[in-house]
Amino acid sequence: MQKLAIEGGTPLRGDVCISGAKNAALPMMCASLLTSDVLKLNNMPNLHDISTMRKLLEQIGVTISVQGDEMLLHGANVNKLEAPYDLVKTMRASILVLGPLVARFGEARVSLPGGCAIGSRPVDIHIRGLQAMGATVYIEHGYIHAQAKRLTGARILFDIVSVTSTENLMMAAVLADGVTILENAAREPEILDLAQCLNAMGAKIEGAGSHTITITGVERLHGTTHHIIPDRIESGTFLVAAAATGGNIVLHNTRTDILDAVSEKLTEAGAQIRSSHDTMHLHMPERPRSVNVRTAPYPAFPTDMQAQFMALNAIADNSAMIIETIFENRFMHVQELRRLGAKIDVEGNTAMIRGVDRLEGATVMATDLRASACLVIAGLVAQGKTTIERIYHLDRGYEHIETKLSQLGANITRTQ
């Protein structure tokens, strides 16, 4: 099993290029199931989750080829309307094949999903949405089985804001008969990017990026070429890593307009940030100041950046509070940060972090994707050697992170 070894204490300096957004790429790959034409996606990140989704789609019958950061998906020969447990268990995003399969082929059998153990993400929202659109849905032997001769438009009100449910039902609705209205929909930039891709394929979607999305169903979709947006969480992770180490870095191929919540907190921590449309320059001239964080759906502070800011607060001046409102089990990195010398107390969904002058290297274990990034940041600032085990979590969402950090001057190596 692979590990990361980090010798901390070196400020990050230099330029780094941000990859395409994993959370936009995955649903767009599933959108290839909605047409028999070729879908070309540019700025595709090279990640384990992307490889898992590719295996799943190829097993269903999609023909996929990759050259550099360009992926071509051809869904003309889809012949298996099932997503099996052995692939779905490792990635919750696999449920995103459900809506497209039912919409185009009238049936799907999808295993109940797995993924990071950061909390329950129930599938009942997906099921109720498909039922509202006329599908017959039942769960048997650990699988969701949905059938519909043709989905029909419906008004769907989400009990809670859910990104994957919004994406799944939006894709299902593009081929439905009539108009579908999604209320209390998620507003993440990745959803807007998916909607723009679907519209380029011939869909009629209005309101994506707001709480109300209106989809007018069409008879068929066609192929298109789409450029995936930059990964805002990777951008945020590198910005926090630079701030924590007292660094000076420039991000390229990023999007400043979707990083407002993160940028504001980094500025509050003392970072100096200059931005243009697709570049960001961060300089941290002093020890970071502690910042309070409360996670909430976009455009508020993202839950996927909570762990990284906990690492920053661990070595910041003064104390801070982090409140996690999205997932109930997303503080598993706390005990690993404590092994490095962090002073953190947790009660329910609230963590109180008292900044210390320094962390000390130790062996720690990654528990989920963003916790892995948190431990990398902590290792970059810790004195001595930090070894991070179970980094397969990290490879799910960060493209060659040790290579990019090495380019910024970090002493980091991947070992077996």
Side-chain angles (χ1 to χ4, degrees), residues 167-231:
E167 292 167 338
N168 220 350
L169 297 177
M170 185 167 68
M171 286 191 286
V174 294
L175 294 179
D177 183 18
V179 177
T180 299
I181 299 175
L182 306 179
E183 298 192 69
N184 196 30
R187 300 170 58 190
E188 272 69 7
E190 295 79 14
I191 290 173
L192 177 57
D193 202 30
L194 172 62
Q196 290 172 340
C197 178
L198 292 169
N199 282 340
M201 295 169 68
K204 295 181 179 179
I205 302 172
E206 298 177 343
S210 73
H211 284 312
T212 302
I213 303 176
T214 303
I215 308 107
T216 303
V218 297
E219 288 294 326
R220 65 179 299 273
L221 298 185
H222 52 73
T224 193
T225 299
H226 185 81
H227 189 87
I228 298 166
I229 61 171
D231 196 311

